Amino acid sequence: MVESPTEDGVQGSKGNWYMPLVVVGISVLVLLFLMTKLKLNGFAALLLVAVGVGLVQGIPLEKIPEVLSEGIGGQIGDTMLTIGLGAMVGRVMGDSGAAQRIAGKLLDICGPRWVQVAMVLTAMLIGVTMFYEVAFVIIVPIAFTIVRVTGKNLLWVGLPMSIALSTMHSFLPPHPGPTAVAASFDASVGLTLFYGLFIALPAGALIALLWPRLPFIRAMNPSIPEGLVSERVFDDEEMPGMAWSLSVALLPVVLIAGAAVTDMATSASGPVPHFIAFIGSAPVALLLTLCIAIWAFGPRIGRSLDEVAASCRSAAQAMAMILLVIGAGGAFKQVLVDGGISDYIKDTTEGWSISPIILAWLIAAILRVALGSATVAVVTASGVVLPLLAGSGVHPEIMVLAVSCGSIAFSHVNDPGFWMFKEYFNLSVIDAIKARTTYTTVLAILGLGGVLAVEWALDVLNL
């Protein structure tokens, strides 16, 4: 474990305060070399780099396997059920024609010219209450189907969706990062959400519609990963009705959003709130949706249960490597956390004398670069900024948004979400960095500008 500098140590560490970030930078370069030059599998490359970082950061040799297991277990535990069940729901909807029915309706309403706007609106509505990973696996089959039907570039359709979901997840409660910081700062979750919408909606929509048009993005033309979407094109009479198709697609949204709204609106305890929280948890909501999808659409996939099971099995097989890579990303993140990088950055930045809003954003951004986890970044940054809040005169809700906006910046190879983005869009590591790292960074900068503007407006209005 790397020792955190003492108060005197901070003053005397001006020559080496950057060393933890140097470790992160070198590890990223090594990872890129292993995957691009040596063509090593992402799962193995991430584990090798994680072991190396653990040794450099002073984690005892015998403890490194335990740290790797903790990181993989924590990450897979959080995502396996969501991604696995979501992939099965998506495959059942694809093999039955339900995804094509919804995609066709979106194209009929908006036309191919406005399909990006439709994806952004859909992602923002769903993403207000749903985690990035959950909303992603629900919407991405529709994006895949639109790409297959229209022949458009995968990123032209899918990137606006991902950007909109990233914005909602990182900027706004009831997502975990902003909600945890709101509790630390004793801020109103409702007001944080209200103010945050004025920042998230324009910033997210602008980047979502601009980024796919940039030359370096348009130069990428990835294919849809095999096994995640049906290759069959259905006739109109072969597809289920729009009402059933949309109802099944929206069922997990309704369950999860209902649980989130109930939790925000009431503090009551008892069997009813507990039941709502249970069915509104992402794994349970997706499991219920899968059961209903099999019941409603199973006969359209095949006459036997074996054919329906084969559809789910195909989705699970396609997800195996994606889950392994995401888990290895969690191991990489864990060695950085256990190596003491977050404590080092926290102690170093405590003496900085700048605007508390900018400081909150900057610390969260630095921690995001170093650790990868947005949630760890916001929680750690809130601990640094909290002592400054009382005498700063800044609205606590604004400080929550400042920390949350900083935490979306610089998503790269130590962020498990980066690997989910890369694998679903079938990108190389370099292309994933070009697409995701850039858009998350620009979103964070726009978010900071929005936070400063909202704080100024509140001061002018004496609110």
Side-chain angles (χ1 to χ4, degrees):
M1 185 75 76
V2 172
E3 294 182 359
S4 299
T6 63
E7 183 176 349
D8 293 335
V10 171
Q11 297 299 322
S13 63
K14 292 181 180 179
N16 65 353
W17 68 269
Y18 52 84
M19 287 306 296
L21 294 183
V22 171
V23 171
V24 174
I26 293 174
S27 66
V28 170
L29 293 177
V30 172
L31 182 63
L32 293 177
F33 175 77
L34 291 174
M35 294 187 66
T36 59
K37 297 298 183 181
L38 301 185
K39 306 298 181 183
L40 191 61
N41 172 269
F43 176 69
L46 279 163
L47 289 181
L48 280 174
V49 172
V51 170
V53 171
L55 292 172
V56 171
Q57 289 299 107
I59 297 176
L61 189 63
E62 70 276 10
K63 295 289 186 182
I64 289 180
E66 180 182 336
V67 174
L68 296 180
S69 297
E70 181 183 353
I72 292 174
Q75 190 62 46
I76 293 296
D78 290 340
T79 59
M80 183 179 69
L81 293 176
T82 296
I83 292 178
L85 290 169
M88 290 181 187
V89 171
R91 187 59 193 257
V92 169
M93 293 189 67
D95 286 352
S96 65
Q100 184 178 326
R101 174 69 76 184
I102 296 172
K105 191 65 175 179
L106 279 175
L107 290 172
D108 290 342
I109 294 173
C110 302
R113 183 178 179 183
W114 298 100
V115 69
Q116 289 180 318
V117 175
M119 295 305 295
V120 170
L121 292 175
T122 301
M124 284 187 167
L125 288 172
I126 292 177
V128 168
T129 56
M130 297 184 72
F131 290 3
Y132 174 88
E133 294 85 357
V134 182
F136 191 102
V137 297
I138 289 174
I139 305 175
V140 79
I142 297 172
F144 286 161
T145 304
I146 290 175
V147 169
R148 184 172 49 75
V149 171
T150 63
K152 289 186 176 294
N153 186 300
L154 175 57
L155 292 181
W156 184 260
V157 179
L159 188 55
M161 172 203 76
S162 179
I163 292 172
L165 290 178
S166 292
T167 308
M168 298 292 107
H169 180 89
S170 298
F171 283 22
L172 305 174
H175 297 293
T179 303
V181 180
S184 298
F185 291 173
D186 197 23
S188 165
V189 172
L191 278 178
T192 302
L193 176 60
F194 178 72
Y195 296 152
L197 286 171
F198 285 99
I199 304 169
L201 294 181
L206 173 65
I207 301 303
L209 297 177
L210 171 63
W211 232 242
R213 290 168 167 77
L214 298 178
F216 68 91
I217 298 293
R218 300 195 71 166
M220 306 175 195
N221 190 24
S223 59
I224 297 173
E226 295 182 4
L228 292 182
V229 67
S230 173
E231 298 296 329
R232 179 182 173 188
V233 178
F234 295 84
D235 295 329
D236 187 72
E237 63 273 9
E238 294 178 310
M239 295 184 287
M242 184 62 188
W244 266 113
S245 301
L246 198 59
S247 295
V248 172
L250 292 179
L251 178 60
V253 179
V254 172
L255 293 176
I256 295 171
V261 171
T262 301
D263 183 62
M264 291 172 60
T266 179
S267 59
S269 61
V272 174
H274 290 164
F275 177 74
I276 294 175
F278 169 71
I279 64 171
S281 63
V284 174
L286 286 168
L287 180 60
L288 290 173
T289 302
L290 176 62
C291 293
I292 292 175
I294 291 173
W295 171 76
F297 304 142
R300 294 180 180 274
I301 298 175
R303 295 183 179 181
S304 70
L305 290 177
D306 286 342
E307 291 173 292
V308 179
S311 178
C312 294
R313 186 165 57 249
S314 175
Q317 290 170 345
M319 293 305 303
M321 183 52 66
I322 294 177
L323 285 170
L324 284 175
V325 172
I326 292 173
F332 187 18
K333 177 204 73 177
Q334 195 64 43
V335 296
L336 292 170
V337 174
D338 284 18
I341 288 180
S342 59
D343 293 333
Y344 200 106
I345 294 171
K346 176 181 175 180
D347 291 338
T348 301
T349 56
E350 279 181 337
W352 291 2
S353 299
I354 58 176
S355 161
I357 293 176
I358 297 176
L359 179 63
W361 182 92
L362 188 59
I363 293 171
I366 293 172
L367 287 163
R368 165 72 153 176
V369 172
L371 302 176
S373 170
T375 302
V376 174
V378 295
V379 172
T380 305
S382 66
V384 177
V385 177
L386 182 59
L388 304 176
L389 181 60
S392 67
V394 179
H395 294 76
E397 293 79 15
I398 296 299
M399 293 294 281
V400 173
L401 293 171
V403 174
S404 300
C405 291
S407 73
I408 193 179
F410 305 108
S411 170
H412 64 99
V413 295
N414 62 356
D415 173 18
F418 172 91
W419 296 101
M420 180 178 178
F421 175 90
K422 173 196 174 298
E423 296 296 324
Y424 263 99
F425 289 135
N426 211 9
L427 297 168
S428 68
V429 178
I430 298 298
D431 283 346
I433 289 174
K434 289 179 180 178
R436 181 171 168 88
T437 306
T438 55
Y439 90 65
T440 54
T441 303
V442 174
L443 273 177
I445 294 170
L446 288 178
L448 175 61
V451 168
L452 293 170
V454 171
E455 176 65 11
W456 174 83
L458 292 175
D459 289 341
V460 169
L461 297 173
N462 291 320
L463 295 177

